[in-house]
Amino acid sequence: MDSFSSFFDSQSRTHWSYSTFKNFSQISPLVQFHLKRVYLTLCCALVASAFGAYLHILWNIGGYLTTFACFGTMIWLLSIPTYQEQKRVSLLMASAVFQGASIGPLIDLAINIDPSVLVAAFVGTALAFACFSGAAMLARRREYLYLGGLLSSGVSILMWLHFASSVFGGSTALFMFEIYFGLLVFVGYMVVDTQDIIEKAHLGDLDYVKHALTLFTDFVAVFVRILIIMLKNSAEKNEKKKKRRND
């Protein structure tokens, strides 16, 4: 937790101004162009993911099969040489469609309960992504890369908690702890992965497809957790309203 608090403390000590947000002097023009390609590809992947969720709503295709297909296309993408650019982009879009179909049941549930929650969750995720990714760009190079080890430990804790709840049975409190803790971890990954992409680009790694895939997984992980939290709060509010009406 000290590492996360140091992130916010360092940002609060920085003198923010309009000129600060325009200051990308520490990022070379080549890396800036690479980042533009990464974020453009990320936007296309998000659109493809929304299309996958729409397909689930139409034909109810989301499930374990689409989840395995998503992981399979990701592994296939990472195994292909970088010079086969068109094929890798196609696999990224296919993976995004399968990912969207996989979270389709959750999105369908949100539409049935309160469609505004879905919009609010996406906007909240987009704002969080823009803020934390932007902060990582404006920070000193490699300043937050040390958080990677801490975040990896957090992912390991999440995996063990999920395994324990699957074997021994879980509770609502444990599930919500996993959601909130996972949200904290993947928000941290937004910062670390952004700085990692910038540093790799400075060292000559300009694989924008792989970097877009990294940010896409971060975005979806945060979006799903924010949506679950907002759905739970919305359901609790609806229950309270029903009780008041009955009383």
Side-chain angles (χ1 to χ4, degrees):
M1 295 299 294
D2 293 337
S3 301
F4 284 101
S5 62
S6 66
F7 169 76
F8 293 102
D9 292 340
S10 63
Q11 296 302 319
S12 62
R13 290 194 298 267
T14 305
H15 179 67
W16 294 100
S17 63
Y18 180 68
S19 59
T20 304
F21 287 101
K22 296 191 299 180
N23 182 21
F24 291 97
S25 57
Q26 62 179 343
I27 303 177
S28 66
L30 178 62
V31 176
Q32 290 183 31
F33 177 73
H34 172 69
L35 290 175
K36 291 178 182 178
R37 299 181 75 186
V38 170
Y39 287 115
L40 178 60
T41 308
L42 172 62
C43 291
C44 294
L46 291 175
V47 172
S49 181
F51 178 70
Y54 178 69
L55 290 179
H56 168 78
I57 295 172
L58 289 179
W59 296 314
N60 195 28
I61 61 174
Y64 288 109
L65 185 60
T66 55
T67 301
F68 289 131
C70 177
F71 284 114
T73 50
M74 285 182 181
I75 295 172
W76 189 7
L77 185 157
L78 296 175
S79 66
I80 295 176
T82 56
Y83 62 83
Q84 297 184 10
E85 183 177 328
Q86 185 175 359
K87 186 176 182 179
R88 298 177 84 243
V89 171
S90 300
L91 285 172
L92 174 61
M93 296 304 129
S95 178
V97 170
F98 288 132
Q99 179 68 75
S102 299
I103 64 174
L106 178 62
I107 293 176
D108 193 20
L109 176 64
I111 293 174
N112 292 329
I113 294 177
D114 187 359
S116 64
V117 171
L118 180 62
V119 178
F122 180 80
V123 173
T125 305
L127 289 175
F129 183 85
C131 292
F132 284 96
S133 187
M137 289 184 191
L138 295 170
R140 294 189 300 270
R141 284 179 58 185
R142 301 184 295 273
E143 185 175 4
Y144 300 114
L145 291 181
Y146 71 94
L147 288 173
L150 181 64
L151 295 173
S152 298
S153 300
V155 172
S156 178
I157 292 172
L158 287 173
M159 292 178 64
W160 281 109
L161 286 174
H162 184 72
F163 175 76
S165 61
S166 299
V167 175
F168 303 105
S171 63
T172 303
L174 179 61
F175 174 73
M176 292 310 299
F177 173 78
E178 290 183 37
I179 294 298
Y180 280 102
F181 184 67
L183 178 61
L184 179 65
V185 168
F186 286 104
V187 164
Y189 265 119
M190 287 182 174
V191 178
V192 173
D193 286 338
T194 300
Q195 283 211 326
D196 184 53
I197 288 170
I198 293 173
E199 189 59 28
K200 286 180 177 179
H202 277 291
L203 296 176
D205 183 1
L206 300 176
D207 186 358
Y208 72 94
V209 179
K210 182 177 70 175
H211 295 165
L213 174 63
T214 301
L215 295 179
F216 174 73
T217 55
D218 295 340
F219 191 99
V220 173
V222 172
F223 169 73
V224 167
R225 284 160 177 80
I226 290 179
L227 182 57
I228 291 174
I229 293 170
M230 295 186 71
L231 281 175
K232 183 176 182 298
N233 294 336
S234 179
E236 290 177 351
K237 288 181 181 179
N238 291 335
E239 288 181 2
K240 289 180 180 179
K241 288 181 180 179
K242 288 181 180 180
K243 288 181 180 179
R244 290 176 182 175
R245 291 176 182 175
N246 294 332
D247 295 339

